Amino acid sequence: MLKHKSSDEIILILTFLLLVSNLFWLMNPKSVTKCNTTNSNKKNVQIFLLAGQSNMSGRGGISRKVVGGNVTEIWDGFVPEECKPNHKIIRLNAAQKWEEAHEPLNYGIDCLSSCGLGPGMAFANEILKKDTNFGVIGLVPCARGGTGLYRWNRGSYAYDDLIKRTKLALKDGGIIRGLLWYHGEGDIRTNNGSSSYKIKFEKFVNDLRSDLNSPNLPILLAILPYPKKPFEGPYIEVVRAAQLGINISNVIKFDAEGLEIGSDGIHLTTPAQIQLGQSNMAGRGGVIKKIVGGNVTKVWNGFVPEECKPNHKIIRLNVAQKWEEAHEPLNYGIDCLTSCGLGPGMAFANEILIKDSNFGVIGLVPCARGGTSLDKWRIGTHPYDELVKRAKIAEKSGGIIRGLLWYHGESDVKGGNGYKDYKINLEKFIHDFRSDLNSSNLPIFQVILPYPKKPFKGPYIEEVRAAQLAINISNVIKIDAKGLEIGPDGIHLTTSAQVQLGHMFAHAFLSLNNFTSSITYNFFNFFPF
């Protein structure tokens, strides 16, 4: 970990671009549960447990058909490239034997004909793509569709089978690296299940760690997305609040809100299961669409301009809440993995150090959450609470929070009610954030949205821009991005535009002492054509 004195400067950065949480920090070499592997015939397997309800067991690609006069659920058989078998991915099957893993991953555990795709294979393939030396990944599917949380109490069949299968997996040698948990679909239906969800889940975590003799076992907890009709989940807010309120070490929460839900209103589609396994995106410079195995996927082109290169004086707070040398993609692991691209953060920090070589260490704290409208940044929501939490963790290391970089509004220009109250909601966000950080004059560097272009549709761009321009709060420095180059999707900035935006942020920050009121910086002031 990089050391820095209490006088060093921490720049709190929020470059708000696109969506959820890093799974790869589990690749760190520290072992969670080790087994005796002295027998050369035993595998040194990197074991991941998959448990919860039907979305973890997998319902991607499931549809209803009438067979013999009866309605039945069947899988369409489609396996995307991201979910294809790999000789380095194995699964513990229903007969408690290791075999090469394949979709449907949960077949035989709690489903036969109606098994579909879950996130497990996409998750494992993504790890191996990023780290070819990771070793053999052993997936232990244990999900049980339709099980309320009370069905996961110690002594219940679902819980005891999870423990049993985990211990059988360990007999062949290996390391338990974590539990992937997606659950709650049944508990949002009733008050009985939802009201005690937090207490029951905390007990489940403690019992599981105790029974596996692994007190720090990482738990990757999916926060339930909002269902849609025809599914009825009147207690969704209660369960989401309970999940977000979990405060146990090594429980890593990531919000599934925004993932595509199928026609039944509760189960994720196949593309959404892939996203859940891979996570999603924030920072889109250099992100392009490619056809892989007949499917369109988004990938970063890997290009890092000179202005965005690493510097030993620039560090970032990663998803494990540890400081590390910053690098692109800066938002990697916060809410994206494969399709992370470049944002303005590295260009911003490098530009400051060019202008002032004595500035000190710059700490970047990425907190962007793609696809979130402004109403998702209220007190009590996951993005807002995570922003405050990460800011306070950063401060504990010693330093000064020098400002918040804010780029937002892409979702609100599409429609709904977000554009109507945008000014009021943004002003409330600023006041709440400053209050929670006890920093009444915290500088906010607010981007005014550029005009989108086709194919993106943003009919309310004028309303949102007007609301952003009308903000009249001290130490809110507005930077108009109008004129910056937009990529082919019509809304996200290109790599060169992200570099320019980073420089604009830096110039505004370095000139801050000259500001006495809310001022708008226009793109053309910095980069005339």
Side-chain angles (χ1 to χ4, degrees):
M1 180 176 137
L2 295 170
K3 304 287 185 182
H4 52 285
K5 301 177 182 178
S6 60
S7 60
D8 291 336
E9 320 254 344
I10 295 176
I11 309 294
L12 175 63
I13 305 304
L14 177 108
T15 55
F16 188 86
L17 301 171
L18 277 169
L19 180 66
V20 175
S21 195
N22 187 9
L23 307 183
F24 289 170
W25 72 276
L26 294 169
M27 295 185 207
N28 290 340
K30 68 177 184 179
S31 298
V32 181
T33 300
K34 292 188 177 180
C35 301
N36 184 355
T37 57
T38 56
N39 186 336
S40 60
N41 293 324
K42 292 185 177 181
K43 306 178 183 74
N44 184 21
V45 182
Q46 311 297 307
I47 298 171
F48 292 90
L49 314 175
L50 293 81
Q53 288 186 253
S54 51
N55 270 308
M56 183 58 77
S57 65
R59 292 296 184 269
I62 293 293
S63 60
R64 291 185 175 183
K65 287 193 175 182
V66 177
V67 179
N70 299 313
V71 177
T72 186
E73 293 182 332
I74 58 173
W75 177 44
D76 61 14
F78 173 63
V79 179
E81 190 67 28
E82 298 90 339
C83 304
K84 291 289 176 68
N86 184 315
H87 71 279
K88 295 179 72 175
I89 305 173
I90 58 178
R91 77 153 190 156
L92 194 71
N93 64 21
Q96 319 293 10
K97 303 293 183 183
W98 287 113
E99 66 180 11
E100 185 168 291
H102 56 80
E103 296 289 6
L105 191 64
N106 218 65
Y107 181 84
I109 307 303
D110 88 322
C111 60
L112 293 173
S113 62
S114 59
C115 281
L117 270 78
M121 288 298 293
F123 165 78
N125 274 310
E126 183 66 15
I127 290 180
L128 295 176
K129 181 180 177 182
K130 294 297 182 183
D131 185 356
T132 56
N133 297 317
F134 189 74
V136 174
I137 294 177
L139 302 177
V140 184
C142 301
R144 301 279 171 182
T147 50
L149 195 52
Y150 74 93
R151 302 278 290 277
W152 290 88
N153 290 336
R154 182 187 273 160
S156 67
Y157 177 74
Y159 179 88
D160 290 351
D161 194 54
L162 169 61
I163 300 297
K164 174 185 174 183
R165 285 174 57 76
T166 303
K167 291 182 176 180
L168 286 169
L170 287 170
K171 287 179 71 176
D172 284 328
I175 305 169
I176 301 180
R177 304 302 295 270
L179 165 71
L180 280 63
W181 177 262
Y182 192 121
H183 184 275
E185 301 96 314
D187 292 285
I188 65 177
R189 290 174 177 267
T190 67
N191 184 44
N192 289 337
S194 60
S195 61
S196 56
Y197 196 92
K198 182 173 182 289
I199 295 171
K200 288 178 180 176
F201 183 71
E202 289 172 341
K203 186 177 188 305
F204 165 77
V205 172
N206 292 329
D207 287 345
L208 179 69
R209 288 174 168 176
S210 175
D211 288 343
L212 294 181
N213 192 28
S214 182
N216 292 308
L217 176 71
I219 311 290
L220 285 81
L221 165 64
I223 308 302
L224 273 184
Y226 289 89
K228 65 180 185 180
K229 291 181 178 180
F231 188 87
E232 298 290 340
Y235 297 97
I236 178 63
E237 292 286 4
V238 179
V239 171
R240 277 179 59 88
Q243 291 173 333
L244 288 165
I246 299 296
N247 188 24
I248 303 175
S249 65
N250 268 15
V251 173
I252 303 96
K253 292 170 279 189
F254 57 99
D255 200 335
E257 173 60 16
L259 293 179
E260 184 182 24
I261 293 174
S263 58
D264 63 359
I266 189 64
H267 292 121
L268 301 180
T269 63
T270 293
Q273 289 285 10
I274 293 172
Q275 287 180 303
L276 181 62
Q278 295 180 332
S279 202
N280 302 285
M281 56 198 105
R284 291 297 302 276
V287 172
I288 57 176
K289 290 183 177 181
K290 280 191 174 182
I291 298 177
V292 180
N295 300 309
V296 177
T297 186
K298 295 185 178 77
V299 296
W300 178 42
N301 63 13
F303 174 63
V304 180
E306 193 64 34
E307 299 92 336
C308 303
K309 292 289 176 70
N311 183 314
H312 70 279
K313 295 178 71 175
I314 305 173
I315 58 178
R316 78 156 190 154
L317 194 72
N318 65 21
V319 70
Q321 319 292 14
K322 304 293 184 183
W323 289 112
E324 65 180 11
E325 185 167 295
H327 55 79
E328 295 288 6
L330 190 64
N331 217 64
Y332 179 85
I334 306 305
D335 87 327
C336 61
L337 292 175
T338 60
S339 50
C340 281
L342 271 78
M346 288 298 293
F348 162 78
N350 274 311
E351 183 69 6
I352 289 178
L353 294 176
I354 289 173
K355 297 296 183 183
D356 184 356
S357 59
N358 297 315
F359 189 77
V361 174
I362 295 177
L364 303 177
V365 185
C367 302
R369 301 284 169 178
T372 48
S373 54
L374 194 52
D375 66 338
K376 299 290 176 62
W377 288 86
R378 302 188 306 265
I379 289 177
T381 62
H382 180 63
Y384 180 88
D385 291 349
E386 188 73 5
L387 170 62
V388 173
K389 173 186 173 183
R390 284 173 60 77
K392 291 182 177 180
I393 289 172
E395 279 191 302
K396 279 186 178 180
S397 302
I400 305 167
I401 297 182
R402 300 297 297 272
L404 168 70
L405 274 60
W406 176 260
Y407 190 123
H408 182 272
E410 301 97 314
S411 295
D412 292 288
V413 303
K414 289 183 175 183
N417 294 318
Y419 72 93
K420 296 178 181 177
D421 300 317
Y422 196 91
K423 180 174 180 287
I424 295 171
N425 289 337
L426 182 56
E427 288 173 340
K428 186 176 189 311
F429 164 80
I430 293 170
H431 290 309
D432 289 343
F433 185 56
R434 285 174 168 176
S435 174
D436 285 341
L437 292 186
N438 194 27
S439 180
S440 57
N441 289 309
L442 177 72
I444 310 290
F445 299 90
Q446 177 207 340
V447 172
I448 309 301
L449 274 183
Y451 287 90
K453 65 180 185 180
K454 291 181 179 180
F456 186 87
K457 294 181 179 179
Y460 298 100
I461 180 62
E462 291 289 1
E463 288 83 350
V464 172
R465 278 182 56 87
Q468 292 173 333
L469 287 164
I471 298 296
N472 188 24
I473 302 174
S474 65
N475 265 14
V476 173
I477 301 92
K478 288 170 273 187
I479 301 170
D480 198 338
K482 178 183 176 182
L484 289 176
E485 183 182 22
I486 293 175
D489 65 357
I491 189 63
H492 296 117
L493 302 181
T494 62
T495 295
S496 60
Q498 291 283 14
V499 171
Q500 290 175 311
L501 180 60
H503 289 172
M504 293 165 69
F505 277 131
H507 296 167
F509 173 78
L510 292 169
S511 303
L512 184 61
N513 290 335
N514 297 326
F515 297 154
T516 57
S517 62
S518 181
I519 295 175
T520 299
Y521 265 71
N522 190 283
F523 163 73
F524 299 103
N525 293 340
F526 294 108
F527 300 98
F529 290 111

